[in-house]
Amino acid sequence: MCDANMTSKERAWLPPAGCTPSSSTAANGCNPGVSMKDSGSSVAVPSTLHLLNSLVDKKVPFVPAAGPGSKNITWYTCGPTVYDAAHLGHARNYLAFDIVRRVMEDYFGYQIVYVMNITDIEDKIILRARRNHIMAAYLAGEGKDTG
């Protein structure tokens, strides 16, 4: 499982030698979900991905829409609505979901098609343009491209 061409970051996602989610048993010392010692650090080796279902307030196994045996996931998420200067909140969308996607792909082995939209026009933008008289100036010809 450990390839000689892997970077140290890629190897960090792998469980300790001899402990894989499929081979994790109490007999070989790799009990799923239980902390193990690996060169002095505590490492948890989950057998499957579990998520908190807030409706029932407990962790449940993740099941892709394609079925329990599938490793293919299509994931759509709403991105930022950009109507003003960029700020840290915009970066949070990209960063948080990218981390979750990488864990699901690199550690749990899912194949993910990930799409995030970026809304470039909406009612707030139109309202602000009207309030700032930008729309009237544009319609009067001041907003035409000259090049």
Side-chain angles (χ1 to χ4, degrees), residues 1 15 18-26 28 30 32 45-48 71 107-108:
M1 188 168 180
C19 298
T20 62
S22 60
S23 70
S24 296
T25 63
N28 68 5
C30 300
V45 180
S47 58
T48 60
K71 287 289 191 177
Y107 189 75
F108 290 101

Side-chain angles (χ1 to χ4, degrees), residues 5-30:
N5 296 326
M6 292 178 116
T7 66
S8 61
K9 286 182 181 179
E10 291 170 327
R11 279 192 295 278
W13 288 109
L14 297 177
C19 298
T20 62
S22 60
S23 70
S24 296
T25 63
N28 68 5
C30 300

Side-chain angles (χ1 to χ4, degrees), residues 13-73:
W13 288 109
L14 297 177
C19 298
T20 62
S22 60
S23 70
S24 296
T25 63
N28 68 5
C30 300
N31 196 357
V34 176
S35 295
M36 301 176 310
K37 296 291 181 186
D38 176 38
S39 65
S41 66
S42 182
V43 179
V45 180
S47 58
T48 60
L49 176 61
H50 285 75
L51 301 173
L52 177 66
N53 181 340
S54 60
L55 183 64
V56 294
D57 197 31
K58 66 179 183 177
K59 290 182 183 178
V60 296
F62 173 72
V63 179
S70 178
K71 287 289 191 177
N72 296 321
I73 298 172

Side-chain angles (χ1 to χ4, degrees), residues 117-137:
N117 78 318
I118 299 175
T119 304
D120 60 347
I121 189 95
E122 68 163 6
D123 294 340
K124 289 181 189 177
I125 298 168
I126 295 168
L127 182 63
R128 181 178 282 180
R130 287 185 178 152
R131 198 175 319 133
N132 294 334
H133 307 288
I134 294 171
M135 184 66 79

Side-chain angles (χ1 to χ4, degrees), residues 74-142:
T74 54
W75 187 354
Y76 175 84
T77 185
C78 294
T81 300
V82 184
Y83 58 88
D84 207 345
H87 55 81
L88 194 57
H90 294 144
R92 183 193 172 280
N93 279 332
Y94 304 115
L95 186 65
F97 286 110
D98 186 57
I99 290 170
V100 173
R101 179 191 58 83
R102 287 174 187 240
V103 169
M104 289 178 73
E105 285 181 340
D106 298 342
Y107 189 75
F108 290 101
Y110 288 103
Q111 301 294 317
I112 300 174
V113 175
Y114 180 74
V115 177
M116 177 189 286
N117 78 318
I118 299 175
T119 304
D120 60 347
I121 189 95
E122 68 163 6
D123 294 340
K124 289 181 189 177
I125 298 168
I126 295 168
L127 182 63
R128 181 178 282 180
R130 287 185 178 152
R131 198 175 319 133
N132 294 334
H133 307 288
I134 294 171
M135 184 66 79
Y138 180 80
L139 293 175
E142 296 174 23

